[in-house]
Amino acid sequence: MSEKKKVCMVCGKPSEVSICDVCKAQIQGEAIDKKQKIEREVRIGPEVEKEKKKQKR
Ligand SMILES: [Zn+2]
């Protein structure tokens, strides 16, 4: 039992690397989605600051 089968740790399909190209692309796509979400939150940030200033007055 010395033979170790290499499989993708994401989908479990036989792969020479720990994460196959398909899953890698999916993970990178998700990462981009998350980045875009963060950028949206940052854009909302200044508006929230304005609201805070309004409440102070
Ligand atoms: Zn995979």
Side-chain angles (χ1 to χ4, degrees):
M1 289 289 197
S2 61
E3 195 180 316
K4 229 181 182 180
K5 267 189 183 177
K6 282 184 181 178
V7 293
C8 168
M9 59 185 277
V10 179
C11 65
K13 285 179 184 174
S15 171
E16 282 185 16
V17 289
S18 54
I19 299 171
C20 71
D21 287 340
V22 177
C23 294
K24 217 179 201 178
Q26 273 186 346
I27 289 163
Q28 279 175 345
E30 278 175 23
I32 288 164
D33 278 348
K34 276 180 189 174
K35 232 185 184 181
Q36 282 175 341
K37 268 185 188 176
I38 289 163
E39 275 173 18
R40 271 181 204 165
E41 276 170 24
V42 169
R43 271 184 207 165
I44 291 163
E47 280 174 31
V48 172
E49 288 294 313
K50 274 182 191 175
E51 289 295 313
K52 274 182 188 173
K53 278 179 186 174
K54 271 183 190 174
Q55 279 176 359
K56 265 188 183 178
R57 277 185 184 175

